[in-house]
Amino acid sequence: MLKNRHPVDIAQILLSVMFLLLIITACLWIVRPFILGFTWAGTVVIATWPVLLYLQRLLWGRRSLAVLVMTLLLLILFIVPVALLVNSMVDNSGPLIKWATSGHMALPRLEWLNAVPLAGAKLYSSWNTLIDSGGSAIMAKVRPYIGTTTTWFIGQAAHIGRFVIHCALMLLFSVLLYWRGEQVAQGFRHFAFRLAARRGDAAVVLAAQAIRAVALGVVVTALVQGVLGGIGLAVTGIPYARLLTVVMIFSCLVQLGPLPVLIPAIIWLYWSGDTTWGTVLLVWSCVVGTLDNVIRPLLIRMGADLPLVLILTGVIGGMIAFGMIGLFIGPVVLAVSWRIYSVWVSEAPEPQSAAAAQTPKVSQENK
């Protein structure tokens, strides 16, 4: 018996899809000012959720008290230090901006080269000969790039107010997510299950684990190394220690480590004749520079059982592609993609196993 097929209304399908796309675009456009703050809040809440549960158990099972304590901790450990660091960058970058925009830049004469044994006088003579012959031409070519770079940094300073707003939104969304975290997580898992059944649910859980692994392994390690390195700079009397601490934390986040900042500081101390503090900073730098080899793998394994190379590649590539928020987006995307790929490949037998299973059949057919 033949069943009557209803004609497909292509126009209705196309209009329905276009209407859904329009609604989604409008929603994204409306919430666009809040996306960055909510993303940061979600990252912070996912990374610190075990701490909230621990505080809740200590505070007689009261979620309100635990949320209050976590809010105060975010203010003390995140908002206030970030505000101080930004203020330090603005204050200490003033002389540099003034020098770069003055238009009186010239290559230094490097008189201290004369004090270098053996080859110092020759190096000084060669350097000043280069300056006298083509120094002005070199600076004429370099000056436009310095001016462009300085203008960019000045333009970035105008975004400090927007950054403060994002921090306030992050704090507000963090409080809401701490209060209703289970319901929000269940909503995301339900949506993912509706899209891809169990695989979708597993992808959401893996994304949370990857965020926690990055927060623990990369961010905490960078903060520990940067703060300890900054303490070493401050104790040994290095100028602009706070600004160099900010640079060191950023260098650790991009996986360069603290040594690009600490090594020039050590050289400066020895060159200025302060060999005692130079030796102290040298020993301290050896300790700080090797901490990531111990702390980072341990913390990443605590967050998620993922390859270390995958996490570090996601951190570097994510920051290049998306900025600071890419620090978490990159590893999450790579981790979820890797796990989906692994599950899909493992559903089929390995080539050796499949060949071994087919060998008896082939031998029987030959007989």
Side-chain angles (χ1 to χ4, degrees), residues 48-256:
T48 59
W49 188 255
V51 180
L52 174 73
L53 297 181
Y54 178 75
L55 290 175
Q56 184 175 345
R57 289 194 298 268
L58 290 180
L59 298 173
W60 310 282
R62 299 285 298 274
R63 173 62 62 88
S64 57
L65 295 178
V67 172
L68 178 60
V69 173
M70 289 300 300
T71 304
L72 295 177
L73 288 177
L74 287 181
L75 281 172
I76 297 173
L77 300 178
F78 185 80
I79 303 297
V80 174
V82 167
L84 292 177
L85 292 178
V86 170
N87 184 55
S88 174
M89 291 181 65
V90 174
D91 292 341
N92 294 325
S93 60
L96 179 61
I97 294 174
K98 183 179 179 180
W99 170 79
T101 56
S102 62
H104 301 290
M105 293 178 294
L107 293 175
R109 289 289 174 175
L110 303 182
E111 287 82 2
W112 53 267
L113 284 174
N114 287 316
V116 177
L118 300 178
K122 187 176 181 180
L123 290 174
Y124 176 78
S125 177
S126 301
W127 174 253
N128 283 274
T129 302
L130 176 63
I131 292 177
D132 295 335
S133 60
S136 58
I138 294 174
M139 290 306 301
K141 293 181 179 180
V142 172
R143 191 176 293 112
Y145 297 99
I146 297 178
T148 303
T149 305
T150 306
T151 304
W152 182 84
F153 276 107
I154 295 174
Q156 295 304 308
H159 298 296
I160 294 178
R162 186 184 304 175
F163 177 77
V164 173
I165 293 175
H166 284 309
C167 287
L169 290 175
M170 185 274 292
L171 187 64
L172 175 62
F173 287 134
S174 296
V175 172
L176 297 177
L177 290 176
Y178 279 136
W179 187 258
R180 297 294 181 186
E182 291 87 356
Q183 291 83 345
V184 175
Q186 187 64 26
F188 276 104
R189 295 182 64 178
H190 192 184
F191 177 74
F193 191 87
R194 181 66 179 85
L195 288 179
R198 293 183 179 179
R199 290 184 179 177
D201 185 31
V204 173
V205 175
L206 179 63
Q209 293 176 351
I211 291 175
R212 191 167 297 144
V214 174
L216 289 174
V218 178
V219 178
V220 172
T221 303
L223 290 176
V224 170
Q225 286 186 295
V227 170
L228 292 178
I231 292 174
L233 296 177
V235 170
T236 53
I238 299 295
Y240 302 110
R242 289 188 297 173
L243 180 61
L244 292 176
T245 301
V246 177
V247 176
M248 196 162 13
I249 292 175
F250 182 77
S251 177
C252 294
L253 286 175
V254 299
Q255 306 306 303
L256 294 178

Side-chain angles (χ1 to χ4, degrees), residues 40 214 218-219 253 255 314-315 318-319 323-331:
W40 275 116
V214 174
V218 178
V219 178
L253 286 175
Q255 306 306 303
V315 168
M319 287 193 65
M324 287 300 295
I325 194 62
L327 186 71
F328 298 92
I329 295 177

